[in-house]
Structures are given as structure tokens and as C-alpha cells.
């Protein structure tokens, strides 16, 4: 017992406070994973208890379940029910370490990463850094709207919505009240559609009870999509059925229309349509994000990293990319694979096997993506499903969506919390406590700045 304590002291004394991030000494190959999203965690799970030292880096200390961000934003769920601390996730994985730091630069020539806390050497590096909101160079829109790419965005949307609804009850200015109660969602993909449906249900079931000061009909919900259909990556049946559901929920869907400007008070579209609103939620596009240091000639459309069929970044021998950041460009996939959770999870599991085989100098087979289908929900008992040849909508699709998402959430406690909240909501139409626990301060609009 004393000997073990002595050995621990020797290991601890070897960790000196320098520009190096302290890691235990190990003779095992070191695999550094940047990003703890679906892809990064799938890789961690595949490498746990293997003959490698795994170090997970992330600027947050938790994993977040992105498909349910919109429910946090609309007060259907509390944020702690869809996040799980990395240290809880990897508890018991003796070969896996977590370090809270933001990776700022990669130095491939020396196999080193530079973080805001220090530097670390790697044998193999895996980029699983995901994407960020793409505003396509529209600075005004970016300054005054909110994306929905992390849990903080969701909470910002929630507080913005609740604060504006409260202010609408105070103001006597009709135009101001319209701007405060109009909601515009840009982007007709799954995130935009689900957000629009959730807001429509909030208007129908919550607004009349919480805000009797004004009629719920004052809250207008607009969904703007630049092309002629919603859910363009799904079937025509799913697209048309989704449009039908949203119209039944009285969402104003604007197809073949895009936002050209937004000053914080009014949206201007390419068709010169003007919508008064102080609530713009942007889900229209994403772009890859990764530390500097990768040669730009290996970056393709969408700011993604071009990889070969083994997920190795083009031009490098020990740097890999998985998840939304990876673009596996082949004859079969000229634009890369879809940027969805199932792709990320499959690539994480695959790369785990590949790395173990590379270390043992064994042959590997190229990555093959297996499309397990797509699901999207528009509201209670309203969802669409594309599962191979089977394409259906309605209650069964909604039930399947609920089961799949519930089982995909990390942590038994989180699944229990989400399941309980969904059950309560199903029978009572009630949502979580609608508390404004911190003040959301939007940036001043261009009009107000001029004044």
C-alpha cells in the first residue's frame, strides 16, 4: 500500500508546471481527439480499454445532445437533461483522459497541438470539431440573429423569447408589440422545421395561459426556405407532409425566399418582403470549424477537411477527421457524406478499429456509410420517416422518432428526465418552468444605433 502511494508521488512529481499540459507517462501510442460530439465520443467508446492512451480535448466539459436543442429553446426541456459531463462519461476508462482546453493550432511537422492551456505531443490526431453556424457573409444577420449550434444558443433563444413576450405585455406600441411577438426561423431543414413546430405548439397551448394580456393570434411564426421544398435531404413525401403539418399549425412557410438583411427589428427578403421581428433564429447552414495549421489546399466546400476513404486528412499520415468536419470525397460521394449524427457515430466507431489496426500494421478496409434512414418531427403526433423503401408519416413516425432519440441520449438519468418530461407534456401540454434566470441582451439594432 505504501509502495503504491510512493509510485503515485513519483508520477505526480514528474508533472511540472510548464507550457506542457500534464499527462501521465505512458509507452502506449497517444491518440488525441479534439471534440466530444457524437463522432468524438463514438471513437472514445471504441478505444476504451485498448492498448492506446486516449486524450479527449474540448472547450466545454460536457457532451451535448444536439437534436433536442430546439426543445430547450422552447422550454420543453431543461438544459441539464440533454448534457452529460465528459468525466462522468469516461469514468472507469483507465486509458482515457479528458482535458478542458481549446485547441488553437496544430503543428503537423512536430506532431504537436497548441491549446490555450499549453501544448501536447501526439502520435495520432483526430479532428472531430464539428461545425458552426454559417451566415454566408451577411454580417448584419449574424450580429442580430441567433443560431442553434450549442446549448448556450438554445438558452439564449429561450431567454430572448420569454423576455420579448414579457415586454410585449408592457408596451402600448402596436408595431413594437408585433416585432416582439413575431418569430422568424430561417432554414427548412430538420432543425428549422422542428423549431417552427415547437413554437407553434407553444403558441397554441402555453401562450393563452401565460399571457392573457393579448390574444395568442398576435404571435406569428414564419419559416423561410430558399428553395422550393422543406427537408430537401428527405423524400418528396416527407417534404410535402411536413409542409401540410406546418400549415395546420398555422406556420407561415415562405418557400423560394431568402433573407437579404436583418437589422434587429425587421427582416428583408430577396423578394423585398419586410417582416417586423426581434426574434430571428438562423438554422440555414453550417460550416466546418477546426484549429489553424491544416494546409488550406485540403479544405473543401463548407470548410470541411478532405479525407481519403480511411478518414485520413489529405496530405497527412497521422491526422484524421470524423463527423461533420470530414468530407470523404470519392466517386460515390463527390460531396462527402451527410452531416448528421448517424454518419458521425459510424465514422467514430470505424476509425477506432482503423487506428488499432494501423498500430498493429494490419490492413484496413475503406469506410462504408450505411444509411439507416431519416426522421423529423413537427410536433405532437406529427413526424415523418424515411426508412429505406418505407416512407410514412403521422403518429407511428412520431413514436419512432421519440424512441430513437430517447435511446440515443447519453446517461440513464438524462433519458429518465427527458422521458418523464415528454410524458407530462403528452398528457398535459405543459412545459418546463419558463424562468428567465439571466438577462439576454441583444445587440443594438442599426436603426437604434443611428438614433
Amino acid at each position: 500500500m505504501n509502495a503504491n502511494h510512493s509510485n503515485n508521488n513519483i508520477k505526480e512529481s514528474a508533472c511540472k508546471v510548464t507550457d506542457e499540459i500534464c499527462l501521465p507517462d505512458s509507452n502506449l501510442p497517444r491518440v488525441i481527439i479534439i471534440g466530444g460530439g457524437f463522432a468524438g465520443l463514438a471513437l472514445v467508446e471504441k478505444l476504451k480499454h485498448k492498448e492506446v492512451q486516449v486524450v479527449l480535448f474540448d472547450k466545454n466539459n460536457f457532451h451535448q445532445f444536439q437534436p433536442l436543442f430546439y426543445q430547450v429553446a422552447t422550454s420543453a426541456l431543461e438544459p441539464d437533461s440533454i448534457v452529460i459531463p465528459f468525466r462522468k462519461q469516461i469514468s472507469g476508462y483507465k486509458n482515457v483522459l479528458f482535458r478542458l482546453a481549446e485547441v488553437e493550432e496544430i503543428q503537423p511537422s512536430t506532431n504537436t497541438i497548441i491549446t490555450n492551456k499549453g501544448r501536447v505531443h501526439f502520435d495520432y490526431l483526430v479532428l472531430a470539431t464539428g461545425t458552426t453556424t454559417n451566415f454566408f457573409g451577411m454580417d448584419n444577420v449574424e450580429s442580430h440573429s441567433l443560431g442553434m449550434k450549442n446549448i448556450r444558443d438554445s438558452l439564449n433563444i429561450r431567454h430572448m423569447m420569454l423576455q420579448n413576450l414579457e415586454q410585449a405585455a408592457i408596451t402600448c406600441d402596436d408595431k413594437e408589440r408585433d416585432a416582439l411577438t413575431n418569430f422568424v426561423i430561417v432554414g427548412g431543414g430538420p432543425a428549422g422545421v422542428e423549431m417552427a413546430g415547437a413554437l407553434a405548439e407553444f403558441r397554441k397551448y402555453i401562450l393563452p395561459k401565460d399571457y392573457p394580456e393579448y390574444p395568442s393570434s398576435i404571435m406569428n411564426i414564419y419559416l423561410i426556405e430558399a428553395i422550393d421544398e422543406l427537408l430537401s435531404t428527405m423524400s418528396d413525401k416527407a417534404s410535402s407532409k411536413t409542409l401540410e403539418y406546418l400549415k395546420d399549425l398555422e406556420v407561415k412557410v415562405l418557400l423560394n425566399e431568402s433573407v437579404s438583411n436583418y437589422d434587429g427589428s425587421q427582416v428583408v427578403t430577396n423578394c423585398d418582403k419586410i417582416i417586423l421581428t426581434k426574434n430571428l433564429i438562423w438554422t440555414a447552414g453550417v460550416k466546418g470549424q477546426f484549429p489553424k495549421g491544416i494546409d488550406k489546399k485540403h479544405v473543401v466546400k463548407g470548410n470541411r477537411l478532405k479525407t481519403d476513404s480511411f478518414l485520413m486528412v489529405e496530405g497527412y499520415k497521422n491526422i484524421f477527421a470524423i463527423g461533420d468536419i470530414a468530407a470523404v470525397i470519392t466517386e460515390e460521394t463527390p460531396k462527402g457524406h451527410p452531416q448528421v449524427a448517424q454518419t458521425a457515430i459510424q465514422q467514430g466507431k470505424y476509425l477506432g478499429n482503423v487506428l488499432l489496426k494501423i498500430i498493429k500494421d494490419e490492413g484496413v478496409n475503406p469506410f462504408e456509410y450505411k444509411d439507416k434512414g431519416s426522421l423529423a418531427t413537427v410536433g405532437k403526433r406529427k413526424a415523418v420517416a424515411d426508412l429505406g423503401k418505407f416512407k410514412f408519416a403521422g403518429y407511428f413516425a412520431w413514436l419512432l422518432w421519440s424512441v430513437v432519440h430517447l435511446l440515443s441520449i447519453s446517461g440513464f438519468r438524462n433519458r429518465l428526465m427527458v422521458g418523464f418530461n415528454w410524458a407530462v407534456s403528452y398528457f398535459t401540454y405543459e412545459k418546463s418552468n419558463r424562468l428567465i434566470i439571466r438577462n439576454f441582451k441583444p445587440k443594438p439594432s442599426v436603426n437604434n444605433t443611428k438614433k
Side-chain angles (χ1 to χ4, degrees):
M1 189 170 182
N2 290 335
N4 289 338
H5 182 70
S6 176
N7 288 337
N8 288 336
N9 286 339
I10 291 173
K11 286 183 178 179
E12 289 174 4
S13 65
C15 296
K16 297 179 180 178
V17 180
T18 65
D19 63 346
E20 293 281 339
I21 289 181
C22 186
L23 296 173
D25 292 334
S26 175
N27 294 323
L28 298 175
R30 178 178 291 166
V31 179
I32 288 182
I33 304 169
I34 306 176
F38 289 115
L41 279 192
L43 177 56
V44 167
E45 290 293 319
K46 205 66 182 179
L47 294 179
K48 68 181 181 182
H49 309 312
K50 303 298 183 182
E51 294 297 308
V52 290
Q53 184 189 61
V54 180
V55 188
L56 174 64
F57 279 88
D58 199 288
K59 60 185 178 181
N60 299 308
N61 74 332
F62 53 83
H63 168 74
Q64 38 196 352
F65 191 72
Q66 294 187 15
L68 295 183
F69 281 166
Y70 78 95
Q71 293 202 11
V72 173
T74 54
S75 299
L77 292 173
E78 291 304 319
D80 62 341
S81 63
I82 64 166
V83 298
I84 184 168
F86 289 124
R87 291 192 178 277
K88 182 177 181 179
Q89 185 81 5
I90 66 174
S91 177
Y93 301 177
K94 294 182 179 180
N95 67 320
V96 181
L97 304 164
F98 170 70
R99 294 295 181 264
L100 179 64
E102 185 169 3
V103 180
E104 298 174 338
E105 184 179 353
I106 301 165
Q107 295 182 345
S109 59
T110 58
N111 288 344
T112 304
I113 62 168
I114 310 297
T115 79
N116 61 340
K117 304 288 180 64
R119 64 180 65 225
V120 179
H121 173 83
F122 63 84
D123 294 302
Y124 300 94
L125 177 64
V126 181
L127 297 171
T129 45
T131 57
T132 187
T133 305
N134 189 355
F135 292 95
F136 304 101
M138 291 187 285
D139 294 337
N140 273 353
V141 175
E142 182 174 358
S143 295
H144 298 107
S145 65
L146 290 175
M148 198 164 56
K149 285 300 294 179
N150 58 58
I151 198 72
R152 295 180 183 88
D153 288 342
S154 298
L155 287 172
N156 282 337
I157 292 171
R158 177 193 288 201
H159 290 113
M160 173 187 72
M161 174 179 72
L162 295 176
Q163 285 176 198
N164 285 348
L165 291 176
E166 293 292 349
Q167 183 61 31
I170 293 172
T171 184
C172 293
D173 187 316
D174 290 340
K175 285 189 176 181
E176 178 73 2
R177 186 182 295 112
D178 285 344
L180 290 165
T181 56
N182 287 341
F183 289 78
V184 176
I185 302 113
V186 184
V193 162
E194 290 169 353
M195 186 68 193
L199 280 174
E201 291 193 333
F202 184 96
R203 174 181 61 188
K204 184 175 182 179
Y205 300 113
I206 303 299
L207 208 65
K209 294 186 297 182
D210 281 14
Y211 298 93
E213 294 91 338
Y214 46 78
S216 58
S217 58
I218 198 174
M219 180 176 169
N220 292 302
I221 303 165
Y222 298 84
L223 178 60
I224 300 177
E225 171 54 50
I227 61 175
D228 61 356
E229 63 177 353
L230 302 174
L231 300 178
S232 60
T233 58
M234 295 184 71
S235 65
D236 291 341
K237 180 178 181 179
S239 176
S240 59
K241 198 66 181 177
T242 297
L243 182 60
E244 178 185 323
Y245 285 149
L246 288 174
K247 286 184 176 179
D248 288 344
L249 288 168
E250 298 183 358
V251 174
K252 304 177 190 297
V253 181
L254 307 179
L255 299 176
N256 292 312
E257 201 149 358
S258 59
V259 172
S260 59
N261 197 16
Y262 177 57
D263 64 2
S265 295
Q266 63 180 27
V267 171
V268 181
T269 73
N270 61 322
C271 299
D272 293 328
K273 183 180 183 67
I274 296 176
I275 304 171
L276 293 177
T277 183
K278 293 194 173 183
N279 309 283
L280 180 63
I281 303 165
W282 188 272
T283 69
V286 296
K287 59 183 178 181
Q289 57 177 356
F290 52 88
K292 64 180 181 180
I294 299 293
D295 195 317
K296 291 184 179 180
K297 68 182 180 182
H298 307 308
V299 180
V300 297
K301 187 177 179 181
N303 208 42
R304 301 168 77 184
L305 297 174
K306 184 179 180 181
T307 75
D308 60 18
S309 299
F310 308 101
L311 303 180
M312 186 181 293
V313 177
E314 185 181 67
Y316 303 94
K317 297 298 182 184
N318 61 343
I319 300 179
F320 300 82
I322 54 177
D324 290 352
I325 195 66
V328 186
I329 306 298
T330 65
E331 291 183 3
E332 293 77 20
T333 57
K335 296 181 180 179
H337 294 101
Q339 293 169 290
V340 294
Q342 59 174 305
T343 305
I345 293 169
Q346 289 181 36
Q347 289 183 347
K349 292 179 177 178
Y350 164 83
L351 185 58
N353 291 326
V354 166
L355 287 172
L356 294 174
K357 289 186 176 182
I358 288 176
I359 291 169
K360 296 177 181 178
D361 201 23
E362 297 177 358
V364 295
N365 296 318
F367 172 71
E368 292 184 9
Y369 172 62
K370 296 179 181 178
D371 188 351
K372 296 181 180 180
S374 301
L375 300 164
T377 182
V378 185
K380 186 175 177 180
R381 303 191 192 96
K382 297 181 178 70
V384 292
D386 287 350
L387 304 178
K389 296 180 181 179
F390 300 99
K391 307 182 191 309
F392 51 97
Y395 177 78
F396 184 67
W398 173 80
L399 191 63
L400 181 62
W401 178 94
S402 301
V403 171
V404 168
H405 283 71
L406 191 61
L407 294 177
S408 299
I409 296 172
S410 297
F412 174 77
R413 173 184 172 275
N414 286 11
R415 286 193 289 270
L416 190 64
M417 289 174 64
V418 171
F420 176 76
N421 273 280
W422 284 355
V424 171
S425 178
Y426 183 85
F427 291 108
T428 68
Y429 295 99
E430 186 55 69
K431 294 183 182 289
S432 298
N433 292 326
R434 294 168 290 283
L435 305 176
I436 302 174
I437 57 176
R438 59 182 172 85
N439 189 32
F440 172 72
K441 295 182 180 179
K443 295 180 181 178
S445 70
V446 172
N447 290 340
N448 289 338
T449 301
K450 288 179 180 179
K451 292 177 184 178

